[in-house]
Amino acid sequence: MTQATARHILVDSEEKCQTLIDEIKGGADFAAVAKQNSSCPSKNDGGNLGTFGKGQMVPEFETACFEGEVGDVQGPIKTQFGYHAVEVTARS
């Protein structure tokens, strides 16, 4: 079974999400940005969502986690929850 380990930042606008992604790609710490900006409870753990298999996340989010490059920050990814910046930290 394919699994991914990921962390994310959830915000309510595409513009805010893109700004945060740009900050991270510019050298800001993902976990620190998540703690300061994410509306998801995972922000308390730096946005860490742990490890999950296919079928456990909404389709748009899952596509990013299983098709994107490990270590790349992806987004903005729109789901019914808002806009996500996603980083896959491992896949097995």
Side-chain angles (χ1 to χ4, degrees):
M1 177 179 181
T2 302
Q3 293 190 309
T5 304
R7 54 188 183 170
H8 81 138
I9 300 168
L10 177 63
V11 295
D12 61 3
S13 78
E14 186 173 6
E15 295 77 17
K16 175 76 171 172
C17 190
Q18 188 59 59
T19 298
L20 297 176
I21 290 168
D22 292 343
E23 286 179 18
I24 294 163
K25 288 186 175 182
D29 179 67
F30 192 105
V33 173
K35 284 179 184 178
Q36 292 170 356
N37 296 279
S38 185
S39 62
C40 181
S42 68
K43 71 181 185 179
N44 296 324
D45 193 24
N48 186 20
L49 294 171
T51 302
F52 49 89
K54 288 188 175 182
Q56 292 185 266
M57 299 292 182
V58 294
E60 306 89 342
F61 194 88
E62 184 174 286
T63 297
C65 292
F66 288 100
E67 294 181 8
E69 292 294 318
V70 173
D72 281 354
V73 178
Q74 302 174 68
I77 298 161
K78 186 179 189 319
T79 71
Q80 72 258 40
F81 303 107
Y83 293 87
H84 306 259
V86 179
E87 181 186 30
V88 177
T89 56
R91 195 179 303 128
S92 58

